[in-house]
Amino acid sequence: ESHNIKSRTAQRSKAATPIVQKSSRAILLSGTPALSRPVELYTQISAIAPGLLPKFHQFGLRYCNATEGPFGWTYDGNSNLLELQCFLDATVMLRRLKKDVMDQMPDKSRQVVELDPKTLTSMKKTAKLSQALAESSSTSDTTRAMLLELYSTSAQAKMNAVGTYVKELLENSPQKVVLFAHHTIMRKKLAE
């Protein structure tokens, strides 16, 4: 998700860019092309190809329709997009649309995995939150907060069971496995 380093002033970008630049190989992937806001591409391109682009201000003038206001320059627009697209295609960007590669992809498979109840941690809090949510007639903000807490609590309760399942899956499966997780605690557990 390379668009997460789209801001050149963000701490994440400042931390990631030197790592990418020092790597012997780097590929940045994103499903979110940002050609309507070229300023968001600058940090990403500079990370994988330092020196390829002009200085930020020059890039902003050419491709971001930069304007000077009472508080300094803004780079929120876009200009010369066809030129920028041609430049990106010739240098650093490879774009594949889903419709163009679907015939090369394996069929999507989903399966429900029943976890060993002995490996689940206490579900009492999850059950209480679920019951409170079912009985609730509160505002949408309160309901949303309760749902978020329920999701987080259920992730905590399933964390060890999922970790055990994934470990066994990786040890016994000859195929590659792609895992997705939302909660940080679950991602950390899976990274173990």
Side-chain angles (χ1 to χ4, degrees), residues 138-145:
S138 54
T139 67
S140 61
D141 285 345
T142 305
T143 302
R144 185 174 189 283

Side-chain angles (χ1 to χ4, degrees), residues 94-106:
L94 178 63
R95 185 164 187 212
R96 297 290 181 254
L97 299 176
K98 185 177 178 180
K99 66 179 179 65
D100 297 334
V101 296
M102 274 312 285
D103 61 335
Q104 301 167 30
M105 304 295 288

Side-chain angles (χ1 to χ4, degrees), residues 127-188:
K128 285 180 185 176
L129 282 167
S130 186
Q131 182 67 32
L133 191 59
E135 296 171 355
S136 173
S137 61
S138 54
T139 67
S140 61
D141 285 345
T142 305
T143 302
R144 185 174 189 283
M146 290 171 72
L147 270 173
L148 291 174
E149 187 176 355
L150 178 62
Y151 293 148
S152 179
T153 303
S154 67
Q156 288 173 349
K158 293 184 281 188
M159 174 169 73
N160 290 331
V162 170
T164 301
Y165 172 78
V166 169
K167 184 177 181 186
E168 290 172 8
L169 180 69
L170 293 174
E171 288 172 353
N172 300 318
S173 176
Q175 297 180 339
K176 294 181 180 180
V177 177
V178 178
L179 300 170
F180 296 91
H182 175 77
H183 296 284
T184 302
I185 56 168
M186 187 65 79
R187 290 195 309 260
K188 286 180 178 177

Side-chain angles (χ1 to χ4, degrees), residues 32-38 41 63 77-78 81 84-85 88 93 95:
T32 311
L35 290 178
S36 63
R37 292 182 46 107
L41 297 172
Y63 300 114
N78 60 60
L81 291 182
L84 178 60
Q85 180 70 51
L88 294 174
M93 189 168 88
R95 185 164 187 212

Side-chain angles (χ1 to χ4, degrees), residues 65-77:
N65 197 26
T67 55
E68 188 174 17
F71 301 106
W73 287 89
T74 59
Y75 304 93
D76 294 335

Side-chain angles (χ1 to χ4, degrees), residues 6-9 38-43 46 53-64 66 73-76:
K6 65 185 179 184
S7 169
R8 67 191 184 105
T9 58
V39 69
E40 295 179 358
L41 297 172
Y42 189 85
T43 304
S46 296
L53 298 176
K55 298 289 184 196
F56 179 76
H57 182 67
Q58 293 307 112
F59 179 87
L61 288 172
R62 182 87 188 146
Y63 300 114
C64 305
W73 287 89
T74 59
Y75 304 93
D76 294 335

